[in-house]
Amino acid sequence: MRPNDPAQYDQLADQWWQPTGGFAMLHWLAASRADLVPPAARPGALLVDLACGGGLMAPHVARLGYRHVGVDIGLAGLRTAREHGVTVVRGSVLAVPLADGCADVVTAGEILEHVEDPGQVLAESARLLRPGGVLVVDSIAGTRLAGLVAVTVAERLPGGPPKGIHDPALFVDRRELLAAADRAGLDLRLWGLRPSVRDLVAWRRGRRDVVRMRAMAYSGILFAGVGSKRGTTGRRTADAARTVGP
């Protein structure tokens, strides 16, 4: 099977909600992503979940008080997401079939490393967001070390990504991502992520369902970020958007 083939997600659709299945780490990342989303500030606040897959963000979004709209191209994942209370929309994250300014929050987790132009995903996110709205992202950095860890090693470990699900050629250049965010009117900050070693050991022994993700300075393997949409199209301030670590 060719790398980065979306059909793999359909073939593994029965594993979306298995905490020890092929999508185990996506559960960990969904929980980590949710920790970066502020509670809904108003009734009817909307969170748009780009590349929602099987809807793993659903329990977190409900707890935070948002209406949850998930966007994906995979029918099998969307069916599963709907079963978990997500309002689903089939469409590309590069051209989202939703109105300008509809969202209070947009999440773009584990998708930037699957598209040719991550900046276009950020541009769509900015279009969807209200002024002051929040963007939450996570992805894999475009470094040789990330290719070694996320593909060569992780695809051979229990709980790691399915073999061939990633193409290292699409891993994300963080500087280009920050520049694209600025052009889109987003102030974005990035930092590194890693699994908790203690939690990982407990998970392997069946004592935990979810491994907590820890922030770290080095963002050259797995990274996360939070941004906000500026009220105008003016340039950012000097330190409003930056990447933490090398």
Side-chain angles (χ1 to χ4, degrees):
M1 182 175 287
R2 63 185 174 87
N4 196 47
D5 187 348
Q8 284 188 269
Y9 290 96
D10 289 342
Q11 294 165 4
L12 296 169
D14 61 335
Q15 296 188 35
W16 273 112
W17 286 84
Q18 294 179 15
T20 58
F23 295 133
M25 194 169 184
L26 299 189
H27 288 257
W28 314 346
L29 289 165
S32 175
R33 197 176 306 131
D35 286 342
L36 301 174
V37 176
R42 62 185 184 87
L46 178 65
L47 182 146
V48 175
D49 184 2
L50 299 183
C52 67
L56 300 185
M57 286 287 291
H60 307 292
V61 175
R63 168 177 56 82
L64 291 164
Y66 291 93
R67 293 185 295 131
H68 186 184
V69 172
V71 180
D72 209 299
I73 60 172
L75 285 175
L78 290 174
R79 284 193 290 267
T80 303
R82 184 187 291 116
E83 291 170 0
H84 287 83
V86 182
T87 300
V88 300
V89 174
R90 192 181 189 199
S92 169
V93 298
L94 303 176
V96 181
L98 294 172
D100 295 2
C102 66
D104 298 87
V105 175
V106 171
T107 60
E110 291 302 293
I111 181 59
L112 301 178
E113 73 274 21
H114 291 287
V115 299
E116 294 282 351
D117 184 3
Q120 190 172 346
V121 179
L122 295 195
E124 277 294 274
S125 299
R127 182 185 66 78
L128 294 169
L129 283 169
R130 306 173 188 275
V134 174
L135 172 67
V136 178
V137 302
D138 48 67
S139 191
I140 304 174
T143 65
R144 290 185 179 180
L145 181 59
L148 174 66
V149 172
V151 177
T152 306
V153 175
E155 289 184 359
R156 290 169 170 78
L157 295 177
K163 189 172 179 60
I165 203 74
H166 291 122
D167 180 354
L170 297 177
F171 288 176
V172 179
D173 185 307
R174 291 155 291 157
R175 289 184 176 85
E176 290 182 2
L177 191 70
L178 289 171
D182 187 33
R183 291 192 299 271
L186 297 164
D187 293 327
L188 180 64
R189 185 172 65 92
L190 307 178
W191 59 88
L193 280 181
R194 64 167 180 83
S196 161
V197 175
R198 179 178 296 181
D199 284 7
L200 192 57
V201 171
W203 177 80
R204 289 290 302 274
R205 293 176 176 173
R207 297 175 183 171
R208 289 191 64 92
D209 287 338
V210 175
V211 174
R212 287 170 291 190
M213 302 299 290
R214 303 298 193 192
M216 65 177 184
Y218 181 66
S219 62
I221 302 175
L222 184 65
F223 67 87
V226 172
S228 61
K229 182 176 179 178
R230 296 193 289 268
T232 68
T233 57
R235 300 287 292 180
R236 64 185 174 184
T237 59
D239 61 351
R242 58 192 177 91
T243 184
V244 178

